[in-house]
Amino acid sequence: MKFETAIDNLELSRPDKESLMFLLDLKSKEDCERLYSKAYDMKAKYVGKKVFFRGIVEFSNLCEKNCYYCGLRRENKFVKRYKMTESQALRDAKWAFDNKFGSIVIQAGERTDKAFAKLIEKLILKIKEESNGKLGITLSLGEQEKDTYKRWFDAGAHRYLLRIESSNEDLYKTLHPSDHSFAKRIKSLETLSHLGYQLGSGVMIGLPGQTTEHLADDILFFRNMDFDMIGMGPFIIHKDTPLAEGFTNFEELKERQLELSLKMIAVSRILLKDVNIASTTALQALKPDGRELGLLAGANVIMPNITDIEFRPYYQLYENKPCINEGYGECNSCLKRRIEFLGETIGLNEWGDPIHFSRKMQSMKQRNS
Ligand code: SAH
Ligand code: SF4
């Protein structure tokens, strides 16, 4: 297959698996650069050269789940567990608002008890009240009952991030114990979409046992599920988890993990066009300018960590998470400089909703009228 043919197929929204796999398998630096540059043009055309910030508040590291890859899994006894008070979380939200971030993400380990649902509901209402409804709120709080999702939506959250981790059920099962259900994950994504959330999902890239075909299928899955936002990143080991056991020298794999992640961003941008795509922190964990490379490969969202420094060391999903010792002010000014250096602008005081979502809503309205 030729590079141009594969690109044409995706650009014309003819997503045959062969083209996806061909592009994801590109090896030489020159070919990869061509791919990133095409994706960058598509980003400029469909969503513009503007980066939106979502400040992440790592609200709590308590987790009921036991995902094999994650440092916060409930059986990891080495983690000092914490949960923020409402005023601590509000302080972070206020910082984001004062610094002209259009929106924040509240993320935490999974908890499904009633007290947690109530706590988050109260927090959402309070953030809305204190920002005059101006600060956008995204949630990343795992699988919940429909009632809980609805309560949080009604309180004012408007986006939700829930990664499928891998769209291949067999691979999914190798990443999670048997009390995790792939079907429930899909159901949760459908529920969130029906409730009206702008919906984001994604996968980890470079997982043990993951093939190019799995990754191509993941991108087809994003398309079939009609996601508005894509947040994916490299899998990175955490030494106190079962999935780290198979690795003797992860350092040697870093370059490959990074390159594969950039190719996933680029191919997703070319096929999906007007969705928001995040350049995730995990890219920065592999290389200091990893997130800037993500922007150059087609991403248009960055999620700076705005968690208070006292909690950061305890929210280690994977090893070497960057900026754990820096206050958020320092991280923010250094990030702004780096983005401006790329010739992109930053969408301050804007929610930066995915164009894909607005288009979807528009066509739904037309169908119903
Ligand atoms: N508990 C929530 C939110 C926190 S975890 C949830 O699971 O949705 C957020 C994301 O961190 C997960 O979806 C997963 O993709 C990512 N993550 C966890 N461990 C990781 C690792 N070792 N490498 C890369 N990403 C990881
Ligand atoms: Fe918990 Fe999320 Fe980590 Fe799974 S990925 S162990 S649900 S924090």
Side-chain angles (χ1 to χ4, degrees), residues 63 67 69-72 107-110 140-143 161-163 165 185 203-204 233-238 241 282 315 317-319:
C63 189
C67 308
Y69 42 86
C70 176
L72 303 191
Q107 191 180 78
E110 202 167 298
S140 172
L141 302 168
E143 289 166 23
L161 304 177
L162 182 67
R163 287 186 177 175
E165 315 295 1
R185 197 89 174 164
V203 295
M204 280 179 290
F235 161 67
I236 300 175
I237 57 163
H238 186 298
T241 62
Y315 200 87
L317 305 161
Y318 46 82
E319 274 165 49

